[in-house]
Structure formats: C-alpha cells, structure tokens
C-alpha cells in the first residue's frame, strides 16, 4: 500500500479553501508508519547526522521515531512559550496564519549536522524558520525531510534555492 494512499484529505480545514492533509490515518496503520520511518532511515543511512530536530507538533512523531531508528539524539523545535530553559526564536508566516518557533540555546552545539524533520511542507515558512534557529546556534542543516510536499505552495523550491536540501516521500499537487 503506497504511503500517499494512507493520508486522508479533509476539505476546508481549518479554513475555507484549505485541503488539509491528515497523517493520523497513516500513523494509526502499523505498516504505514513503519514504511515512513524505514524509507526515511534508508534515505539518510549513509549521511553524517548528529541530531534530528523535529518541528511541533506532527514533526515530533516522525522525527522522534527516525532519531531512534538512526541512533541519534532528538531536539524539539516548539511553538512560542513552551520550552522551559533559555531559547532563541523566529517569527514566520503560515499557509493559514502566522506563528513563532523556538529552540533551547543548548539544543545544538556549534558545527553539528542537523536533519530537520516535519510531516509536511507547504509554503516552507516553518521549515525556513526552524532552519534559521539551527543556524543561529551554529548548527549545519544537512537536510530537511517531510512525509508530504505540497509543491503548488512553493516551499520545497524555496528550500532548494536556500540550499536546505528538501526530501519528501510523497506529493499532493493540483488537487
Ligand atoms: O510550509 P508551511 O506553510 O510553513 O506549513 C507547514 C507546517 O504547517 C503544519 O503545522 P501547523 O503549523 O499546522 O502546526 P501543528 O503541527 O502543530 O498542527 C505542518 O505540520 C508544518 O509544520
Ligand atoms: N494543507 C495542509 N495540510 C496539512 N497541514 C498543513 N500545514 C500547512 N498546510 C497544510
């Protein structure tokens, strides 16, 4: 069963006109979830990764499982005000709104190779903000990975142009 076919689309959520790509149907399928983690682990198996940074909230699910599989540490990038120790932050625009992401200042050491993980890339605003946080701490974003790319929204193209090396397992285009 292809990964894409396990992803559910909810029309007009959370706003009129948005086709929401819902990974809960993929995650609840034990084979589907394993296929996602195994495919990403296979793709990155021979690359140097010191840490995985997962973006709240859905990026935690995929990112933590991938970190376990690759045997590397996991650090959370969270929405504003959720992290208890000293943070750095970055504001960004969303497909449907605006937000701010933060990371602990001691999450990443200078020169560490960091793989950024989220469930989906749309405009790329979240991933770029998260990458900026890693770079502020002196980390190197060696790649950004997603289960879903929405290429019509231009985010993956933006990441390519900025040298952030996106890799996704499936695309939803023109629908
Ligand atoms: O490429 P972009 O246009 O920035 O959009 C992608 C982001 O939007 C979604 O998260 P959302 O902000 O809805 O938060 P959630 O994971 O906490 O539901 C998704 O999980 C990505 O993080
Ligand atoms: N269309 C979409 N579906 C699910 N998550 C999203 N995040 C941004 N756009 C989204």
């Amino acid at each position: 069963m292809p990964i894409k076919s396990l992803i559910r689309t909810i029309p007009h959520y959370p706003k009129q006109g948005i086709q929401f790509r819902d990974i809960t149907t993929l995650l609840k399928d034990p084979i589907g979830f394993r296929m996602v983690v195994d495919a990403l682990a296979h793709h990155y198996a021979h690359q140097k990764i010191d840490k995985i940074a997962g973006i709240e909230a859905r990026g935690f699910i995929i990112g933590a499982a991938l970190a376990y599989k690759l045997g590397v540490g996991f650090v959370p990038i969270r929405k504003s005000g959720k992290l208890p120790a000293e943070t750095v932050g970055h504001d960004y625009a969303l497909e449907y709104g605006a937000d701010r992401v933060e990371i602990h200042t001691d999450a990443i050491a200078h020169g560490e190779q960091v793989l950024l993980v989220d469930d989906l890339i749309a405009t790329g605003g979240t991933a770029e903000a998260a990458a900026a946080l890693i770079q502020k701490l002196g980390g190197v974003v060696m790649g950004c990975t997603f289960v879903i790319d929405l290429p019509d929204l231009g985010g993956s193209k933006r990441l390519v142009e900025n040298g952030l090396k996106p890799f996704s397992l499936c695309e939803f285009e023109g629908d």
Side-chain angles (χ1 to χ4, degrees):
M1 168 96 59
I3 287 167
K4 187 172 172 177
S5 66
L6 291 168
I7 297 164
R8 168 167 66 182
T9 296
I10 312 285
H12 310 304
Y13 179 88
K15 288 189 177 161
Q16 188 68 24
I18 301 289
Q19 298 276 85
F20 191 88
R21 311 302 179 178
D22 174 22
I23 61 162
T24 64
T25 41
L26 170 64
L27 297 173
K28 76 175 179 182
D29 184 301
I31 297 169
F33 191 15
R34 181 167 279 189
M35 272 167 50
V36 166
V37 178
D38 287 351
L40 295 178
H42 183 259
H43 183 79
Y44 289 103
H46 303 294
Q47 301 192 42
K48 178 167 165 38
I49 299 173
D50 296 308
K51 285 209 176 97
I52 283 182
I55 302 175
E56 183 175 1
R58 289 168 265 157
F60 290 177
I61 303 166
I62 313 292
L66 184 60
Y68 179 85
K69 178 97 184 174
L70 291 176
V72 302
F74 174 87
V75 296
I77 292 181
R78 296 208 65 177
K79 305 288 163 65
S80 193
K82 303 278 189 150
L83 289 168
E86 188 187 54
T87 60
V88 284
H90 199 94
D91 296 300
Y92 64 102
L94 277 175
E95 187 187 4
Y96 41 77
D99 225 325
R100 176 181 174 82
V101 281
E102 295 177 345
I103 192 168
H104 276 145
T105 51
D106 64 359
I108 288 159
H110 193 86
E112 279 189 322
Q113 300 279 319
V114 181
L115 174 62
L116 194 57
V117 179
D118 205 349
D119 67 320
L120 176 145
I121 178 157
T123 64
T126 309
E128 278 196 355
L133 292 181
I134 293 164
Q135 289 161 349
K136 275 184 199 174
L137 297 179
V140 177
V141 181
M142 53 70 62
C144 299
T145 195
F146 311 91
V147 179
I148 305 164
D149 181 14
L150 306 183
D152 294 343
L153 289 160
S156 45
K157 188 165 173 276
R158 241 171 98 175
L159 295 195
V160 170
E161 286 162 2
N162 292 326
L164 292 170
K165 300 192 187 121
F167 172 73
S168 304
L169 294 179
C170 66
E171 293 184 354
F172 286 85
E173 198 162 20
D175 54 355

